[in-house]
Amino acid sequence: MVAGLMLACVVTVSAGQSPDDERGRQLAADAYRQLTGYGDATARLTIIVGNGRDEERRRSVRWRSIEPRGGGERTLVVFEEPRDVRGTALLTVTRPGAEDEQWLYLPAMNRVKRIASHSRSGSFMGTEFSYEDIALPDVGRYRHRWIGEDSLEGVAAWRVERLALDPASQYGRQVVWIDRDHHRLLRIDFFDRNDQPLKTLRFVGYRLYGERYWRPDELRMVNHRTGATTVIEWRDYRFRMGLAERDFDPAVLARSQ
Amino acid sequence: MNDRIAIYFHRIVAHPWRVLLASVVLVGVAAIGARHTRVDYGVEQFFLPSGPEREAFERYRRSFPNEDAQFTLFWKDQRSPGQAMYRDMERAAALFERAGLHDIRWIGNAQIAEQASGDRADDLSLQLLMDPEKDDRDLAAALTRHRHDPLLQGFLWDSSQTVFAIHGYIEPSQNHDAGRRAVEESLTRGIAGLGINEAELVLGGLPVARSRAPKLLAADLRFLAGAAVMVAALVLLYFLRNPTQVLLMISSIAPAYLCTLGLMGFLGKPISLLTSFIPVVVLVIGMCDNVHLVAEFRGRLRGTASIPSAVATTFSSLAVPCFYTSLTSAIGFGGLATTRIGIVVDFGVYTAVAIMLTYGFSMTLLPALLSLTRRRTFDDRGLEAVWLGKVIGPAARRVRMGRWQTFGLFGAASLVAIALGSGLRINTLLIDDIKKETPVMRDIRWIERHGFALFQLSVHLRQTGERPLHDPAVLAWMQEFRRVAEREPIVQKTVALPDLLTPIRSSVIGSSSTHELPATKQEAAELVLMAEMSDPAVVHALYRQDQGEAQVIVAIRDTGSVVLQPFLERMESYVKSHSLSGVEATVTGTPVMIQSFTARLLANLGPSVLLDIVLISVVMMQMFRSVRVGLLAVVPNVFPLLVLLGAMRIGGFDLKPSTILVFSIAYGMAVDNTIHLLSRFLEVARSAATPEAALEASLKAAGRAMVLTSVVVIAGFAVLLISHFQVLFLIGAMTVISAVAALAADLFLLPALLALAWRRRPALTAPLVAEKVA
């Protein structure tokens, strides 16, 4: 009976999906695969937030990430600049099919706090990125549809539309541009619930690391409404450094410096 | 000169069709320019164009552009807060987004940082205030728990949580007259379409008031200006009994306004709140001269062979006095240029241009049009009305007797007016000149009554040294300033960075003792970071860390400049006397800008009127080639201004920027009749036996036209008394009062002064003028 119910679900899902939906989902899955399977990695990030009026602020952070055995991802961000928040650390734990969890270490107050139920539409560290934007593009969180082919700055690309299944998502839809050759994300156009352009994210300067991992040098987000921008510059990418899951335990956050 | 004038008018009447054609071409060209004229009722035009206040304000607005950008829907629901209200508010919030507003704030997306009440003591909840998945009781409980949150009370709800608010901010690039109107109209339509019967919904906020008030004024002005023209036309019709002449008089004024509009269009000047009054001014001043011209024309026609000849002699006779009446009025308005406030300068200059253009058309188009008329005899029962004689008769009789009584009477009236006027208050509201019973004002008072603020001023803090503005010493300074500010009755609430940091700190520490400031700079920096993680827009509305700028918001009531000005002075004094090293603090904001505009304008009122009086006196001296006459002419024109001051005090009106408009109109109008009477007097004085005889003859000749112009003005402007706007009501009431006062002064005081002056120097000393005006 259980098998029968499962079959019914599969049939129902299949019956509701067009070939374009299936193709879109497949392309999204390929892009997701391209971003995963790295084991662990470290990098240094400079986050430049512009307000659209020739003013910008910079944050420097160290970034570490690991793919734990049970799937998902654990990411640790440790602030280096500005100086008076040096050592502040944010640990984000993503598990398939579960809510993200976050812990924050505040050195001046010597506290580790678990941040409960953070809205995914909230801003990531005061940038134009939301937590929804920086999360791994887990295929199960969206409904996809292939909408065409195009080229972006000379690179042949697929265009896939995705709709977030989370009703709390701030977006009505997103159009993702995926490189045809390497399944790299090239660009994402975000639309609000009135289908008005809201933001555009570009992935700039891809490099191949360890002959396997394509990673961009920069993520450039523009908010079309406010003109505000955020650029995240990645450097010193290192993969398979032998990081352990225990390095990403909330209990050791205070020692993460 | 006189010959040349006469030749000019003979040519006009000989070739009326050429004049008409030239006028049509000119009006056509003007129409092209007028099509490019846009309407801009933006109140920002009232701000001082330069100076330290403006620079500070612009600096502040670059960092904190939301100060005057907030649209708010106030929501008083009959239902208890719960799912139903939440869903309806969600629909309304979507309207804000569709209208293009950003940073939409309402109870549905407010982020809260608090110690989580779950099973883990170290949990910090950074989450939405209201979870729509929860039931009504939980939603109500969440609201109750945060009722007195200093950031939310007075922003998202009132103190009793019976009125809620949805806020959205217009983009700085759209925060102009047209942009505000588009959003306001979109929201008004959308809210009406929500079909919510359980709640009282009031759309408010500074941009809403700035959109609705000028629209109401423009609509009022359109209707009332039209009605004033109709009433004036009817009055003229009663006196002249000739629709053609009335039509011609109005027709010769309209092109002047169109040409002014065209000029503004070509020069890229918008129609502002002030320049929208030009048609009214032009109508009054143009009509006064035209009445004199037509009355004289009809008088001359009785004894002249042909219409063209009557037109030519009439206009040759009055061209110079009319030129001077127009010039003096133009000087009166042009004097407003001394204020150096763009919108006021534009009003003064373009009104002056319009007045001179009106003169131009009165001296070209009107004679051409009159020369084309056919009738030679007119029904003069209106002009010869008995009651007109009853007004002029006593004036003529007073020339010979009771002169000192006249001086005594006018002197006493002036003294009383001065005494009353000296008690006038200078007081202006931030949203002013609208009657209390209008929907705009009702909404504003409703909003204030429920504890929300429409206006705010800000202490703009800028880091000038090493110390960041989240340093505990700076935070303590903010708290102390707020404590001082909140003692003021005008202040509704204050908001500053500590309001963000202290609740997060107590949540992190797990202490119930809230409102403790961070102990160290590092601690404060971490709290700022956490606040940014929770809701960066809220943080950046108060603190722009990387730019080293912060603000303390002081929400205030619109209680008038009588209260606001001393309050601002106290705040500025506090900020100066409690300076912090490495931090520059400036009190700024829209109220400061409005206040500085008002102060500048009122400070310039005295010198501006004085300059007008001096210039007009000089013009009169030149016109009459007599210092004595120039000085005498000032007296009857100052009298209506004094009466206005007294009447304002009795009527309970305060001195404010809009009052200046009334004074200018009153002066411009009063001086016209003075010039006409003086011209006539000097014309007949050469052949008269005594000054008294000359004055009697002058009053009989020009008196009826003087009374007639006053009656037309009074009737036309009385229509404005029904306006929704205090400024239009004031213009109506004050113009009526000043018209009566000016007429009284011209009929009684001026002849008495002239008789006295000429009695002492019996030789009539104005041959040049007499020659000129003859």
Side-chain angles (χ1 to χ4, degrees), chain A residues 234-255:
Chain A
W234 297 74
R235 62 184 194 281
D236 298 342
Y237 252 125
R238 293 201 174 130
F239 289 89
R240 300 203 176 269
M241 300 291 293
L243 301 178
E245 282 187 43
R246 64 176 175 280
D247 297 331
F248 294 83
D249 192 302
V252 299
L253 259 186
R255 297 202 301 272

Side-chain angles (χ1 to χ4, degrees), chain B residues 219-514:
Chain B
D220 237 28
L221 201 57
R222 271 198 301 275
F223 168 73
L224 295 170
V229 171
M230 290 294 292
V231 170
L234 286 173
V235 173
L236 283 172
L237 206 56
Y238 166 76
F239 282 108
L240 300 176
R241 314 273 167 124
N242 186 312
T244 310
Q245 284 178 346
V246 173
L247 189 67
L248 296 187
M249 288 165 72
I250 295 170
S251 306
S252 64
I253 294 170
Y257 177 59
L258 194 62
C259 286
T260 310
L261 261 190
L263 185 66
M264 289 171 71
F266 285 128
L267 295 176
K269 289 285 180 186
I271 298 173
S272 68
L273 272 173
L274 284 185
T275 50
S276 64
F277 285 96
I278 291 178
V280 179
V281 178
V282 168
L283 178 75
V284 174
I285 291 168
M287 201 64 92
C288 288
D289 278 346
N290 285 359
V291 166
H292 281 279
L293 287 163
V294 170
E296 177 73 13
F297 164 67
R298 285 169 54 143
R300 288 185 185 246
L301 200 56
R302 288 189 208 113
T304 309
S306 68
I307 287 175
S309 172
V311 170
T313 52
T314 297
F315 281 78
S316 301
S317 158
L318 292 181
V320 173
C322 285
F323 171 76
Y324 280 103
T325 60
S326 301
L327 183 65
T328 49
S329 300
I331 288 172
F333 283 96
L336 293 176
T338 57
T339 59
R340 287 176 291 139
I341 299 169
I343 190 170
V344 183
V345 172
D346 282 351
F347 171 66
V349 169
Y350 285 103
T351 306
V353 168
I355 289 168
M356 293 316 291
L357 282 171
T358 307
Y359 172 74
F361 280 103
S362 294
M363 292 298 136
T364 49
L365 188 57
L366 186 58
L369 290 170
L370 280 174
S371 70
L372 290 171
T373 55
R374 292 278 173 263
R375 263 182 72 181
R376 287 198 67 255
T377 53
F378 300 100
D379 181 351
D380 280 339
R381 280 178 296 166
L383 283 173
E384 301 294 337
V386 176
W387 69 267
L388 272 177
K390 283 185 179 170
V391 174
I392 298 160
R397 282 195 296 279
R398 284 243 158 225
V399 171
R400 291 191 185 278
M401 52 186 161
R403 193 178 302 144
W404 292 106
Q405 282 177 336
T406 304
F407 292 144
L409 202 63
F410 277 87
S414 300
L415 286 175
V416 170
I418 290 168
L420 286 169
S422 63
L424 272 175
R425 282 191 318 174
I426 294 174
N427 190 30
T428 178
L429 294 167
L430 296 170
I431 291 190
D432 213 340
D433 295 327
I434 310 175
K435 286 183 178 172
K436 284 176 187 158
E437 61 272 20
T438 54
V440 175
M441 292 310 286
R442 268 207 311 269
D443 285 354
I444 290 170
R445 297 297 162 231
W446 187 94
I447 291 163
E448 286 191 343
R449 215 171 39 249
H450 285 89
F452 294 93
L454 197 59
F455 295 97
Q456 66 171 64
L457 57 94
S458 165
V459 178
H460 184 198
L461 299 165
R462 297 200 303 156
Q463 179 184 338
T464 56
E466 288 299 308
R467 179 157 59 185
L469 297 179
H470 57 256
D471 186 284
V474 183
L475 296 176
W477 185 95
M478 291 182 194
Q479 293 295 71
E480 182 57 22
F481 171 80
R482 295 172 65 190
R483 200 180 56 75
V484 171
E486 284 174 359
R487 283 205 300 256
E488 300 275 351
I490 190 175
V491 174
Q492 282 183 295
K493 67 176 289 188
T494 62
V495 182
L497 187 57
D499 287 328
L500 275 176
L501 305 189
T502 49
I504 298 177
R505 184 174 185 274
S506 67
S507 301
V508 169
I509 291 173
S511 158
S512 58
S513 63
T514 54

Side-chain angles (χ1 to χ4, degrees), chain B residues 138-162:
Chain B
D138 286 340
L139 292 177
L143 282 174
T144 306
R145 203 162 57 246
H146 294 281
R147 176 178 289 182
H148 301 297
D149 186 313
L151 276 179
L152 303 179
Q153 186 194 320
F155 182 64
L156 290 186
W157 53 70
D158 66 341
S159 57
S160 60
Q161 287 191 331
T162 53

Side-chain angles (χ1 to χ4, degrees), chain A residues 30-182:
Chain A
D30 291 344
Y32 180 74
R33 258 196 303 280
Q34 198 279 325
L35 290 170
T36 54
Y38 60 86
D40 62 80
T42 63
R44 286 179 184 277
L45 275 63
T46 304
I47 302 168
I48 306 157
V49 181
N51 60 3
R53 297 192 300 274
D54 299 329
E55 295 170 346
E56 59 179 40
R57 54 203 166 95
R58 286 172 174 261
R59 306 261 182 274
S60 295
V61 299
R62 280 182 286 127
W63 175 89
R64 295 180 214 164
S65 187
I66 191 168
E67 293 178 306
R69 276 188 295 275
E73 193 177 49
R74 290 185 173 212
T75 304
L76 179 64
V77 172
V78 182
F79 278 83
E80 293 189 323
E81 292 287 341
R83 272 187 314 174
D84 49 9
V85 290
R86 176 175 290 176
T88 303
L90 177 69
L91 172 66
T92 305
V93 175
T94 310
R95 295 192 185 90
E99 288 285 327
D100 295 352
E101 283 189 293
Q102 287 185 316
W103 282 266
L104 185 68
Y105 170 61
L106 301 162
M109 301 168 85
N110 196 24
R111 295 284 205 285
V112 175
K113 303 298 289 187
R114 191 174 83 99
I115 299 174
S117 307
H118 198 294
S119 163
R120 286 171 59 81
S121 62
S123 164
F124 168 67
M125 296 193 298
T127 68
E128 285 304 313
F129 288 82
S130 66
Y131 288 97
E132 186 177 356
D133 301 336
I134 58 164
L136 270 177
D138 187 347
V139 179
R141 289 186 168 177
Y142 300 95
R143 205 177 76 216
H144 296 86
R145 186 164 65 96
W146 175 81
I147 56 172
E149 299 172 24
D150 213 330
S151 77
L152 195 64
E153 292 165 2
V155 179
W158 308 110
R159 286 170 65 224
V160 174
E161 183 184 79
R162 67 185 189 193
L163 307 175
L165 297 177
D166 181 357
S169 170
Q170 61 187 310
Y171 307 119
R173 68 186 179 103
Q174 300 167 35
V175 175
V176 186
W177 302 60
I178 301 170
D179 163 20
R180 283 178 66 166
D181 292 336
H182 304 290

